[in-house]
Amino acid sequence: MLIRNVRPWGGEAADVELEGDRIVAIRPHAGAHGRPVGSAPEAQATGAEELDGRGRLLLPSFSDVHVHLDSTRIGLPFREHTGGAGVWAMMLNDRKNWRHAEVPLPERVAGTLERMIAYGTTRVRSFAQIDVDAGLEKFEAVLAAREKYAHAAEVQIMAFPQAGLLIEPGTIDLLEESLKLGATVMGGIDPCQLDRDPVKHLDVVFDLAQKYDVDIDIHLHEPGQLAVFSAELVCERVRALGMQGRVTLSHAYELGAVSEAVTAAMMEQMAELDISWTTIAPARTAPQFNLAAMSAAGIRVGLGQDGQRDYWSPYGNADLLDRTWQLAFTHQLRRDEDIAHCAAIATIGGASIMDRNVPRLTGVADRPGLEVGDRADLLLCPGETVTSAIMDREADRTVVHDGRVVAEGLHVS
């Protein structure tokens, strides 16, 4: 494919040549006579499918690395929010209602994934809640959606113990069964506050991850020093078991709020052990990790939508460009460079968590993902600059996955 007249990361107009699933050439945009503007004639791709970029921005496609596809109500009527306070009360609210939605679970999971792709997300790490209530039903719905849209997106599935590992007998066996059936990430959640046995909880998480050679992603909602304690236990295991580069902490906002010294020490450990962090850009009055400092330290940072209009919250609309705006807004960023850094986090930042061979961001000015040799997962969208695209979030988008167009104008092909 030859993509004509696009502006990589908002730069000068270029023609981008793809071969298979890779970018193989980037040239100044050729004019009407096929000659690169302002330069001598060069060989152009012949016989290739051509895509007119119409002067739009070219970005790497989005990577949503923290989404609960298994609980989505995207596309369904809004309903009154009935959840209580805290993780356990919200989980029970989901458990009470998820089977009774207007559309069967497999259809709404697939429909939400389709909408995410249409908006420009081609890399997804989705949680699949596994417990004695849902069994493997939610996992199977996410697995079916992954298979249905394998041509349009890469989907990793996390075996996620939303109700804890130790509270309800039988949970661990179900989690292991999901890993046998194709789950690619092992989940954990609040080792101290929920299961109240952090040693046993983390033993199970790390043992299963090592047994099935999968990554780990741990939800950490715990407050203050309790969150620090749990995170330090995670770091100890990563170091002792040689699992550097295989572990992510999700949420974990309190690690940035206890004190400057504690935050600095935690960031140092995360960088040393290549422990990544995913955020959903929540509204917080307390401090949280500084995005620029995280990238400068070499910590992989990714973005996700979390739940989407589900039984936990009415927020979320499948558009990670919206959540990129929210990331910049909640971190009170105003400079163009800092806001564009949020787009780098939402795209290649997340990709580097899903695939550790993808280099991590090196700082706020790093704009990777659009070089010769990079994977041809791309988003064309309107915008004078990257910042303006984030502010305006227009619908005229073309999505490319592994070198082929998979969505146009918010419709998946």
Side-chain angles (χ1 to χ4, degrees), residues 178-242:
S178 75
L179 292 167
K180 293 177 182 177
L181 294 173
T184 49
V185 184
M186 178 63 198
I189 180 171
D190 296 338
C192 294
Q193 198 169 42
L194 188 56
D195 271 336
R196 297 180 178 272
D197 189 340
V199 173
K200 188 171 182 180
H201 181 100
L202 293 175
D203 281 348
V204 171
V205 169
F206 278 83
D207 286 350
L208 286 175
Q210 288 196 302
K211 182 176 180 179
Y212 293 95
D213 190 25
V214 298
D215 286 357
I216 291 170
D217 195 319
I218 297 176
H219 271 53
L220 196 58
H221 312 93
E222 295 171 343
Q225 291 291 348
L226 195 60
V228 175
F229 177 67
S230 289
E232 288 178 342
L233 291 180
V234 170
C235 291
E236 286 178 4
R237 279 166 171 73
V238 171
R239 186 176 286 108
L241 298 173

Side-chain angles (χ1 to χ4, degrees), residues 269-293:
Q269 287 194 78
M270 291 173 70
E272 173 201 349
L273 300 170
D274 197 5
I275 294 174
S276 54
W277 175 56
T278 62
T279 177
I280 62 166
R284 281 176 59 86
T285 55
Q288 54 185 309
F289 283 128
N290 179 281
L291 298 177

Side-chain angles (χ1 to χ4, degrees), residues 70 95 98-99 128-140 160 168 170-171 174-175 177-178:
D70 61 330
R95 183 176 284 188
W98 71 271
R99 284 189 175 89
Q129 181 171 324
I130 296 170
D131 58 24
V132 296
D133 169 67
L136 296 177
E137 194 171 341
K138 292 187 174 185
F139 164 76
E140 289 167 348
F160 184 51
E168 299 175 316
T171 300
L174 288 166
L175 289 162
E177 184 63 21
S178 75

Side-chain angles (χ1 to χ4, degrees), residues 234-251:
V234 170
C235 291
E236 286 178 4
R237 279 166 171 73
V238 171
R239 186 176 286 108
L241 298 173
M243 291 195 68
Q244 291 89 339
R246 304 296 301 269
V247 176
T248 298
L249 294 177
S250 288
H251 303 307

Side-chain angles (χ1 to χ4, degrees), residues 54 123 150 156 184 208 213 225 242 275 280 286-287 313 328 338 347 355 360 380 402:
R54 294 183 275 109
R123 291 171 293 256
Q156 295 180 352
T184 49
L208 286 175
D213 190 25
Q225 291 291 348
I275 294 174
I280 62 166
S313 159
D338 294 331
T347 58
D355 179 358
R360 66 192 85 186
L380 287 68
D402 280 346

Side-chain angles (χ1 to χ4, degrees), residues 143-158:
L143 184 62
R146 180 179 76 177
E147 293 172 354
K148 180 176 181 179
Y149 288 104
H151 69 285
E154 174 191 352
V155 179
Q156 295 180 352
I157 305 176
M158 182 195 301

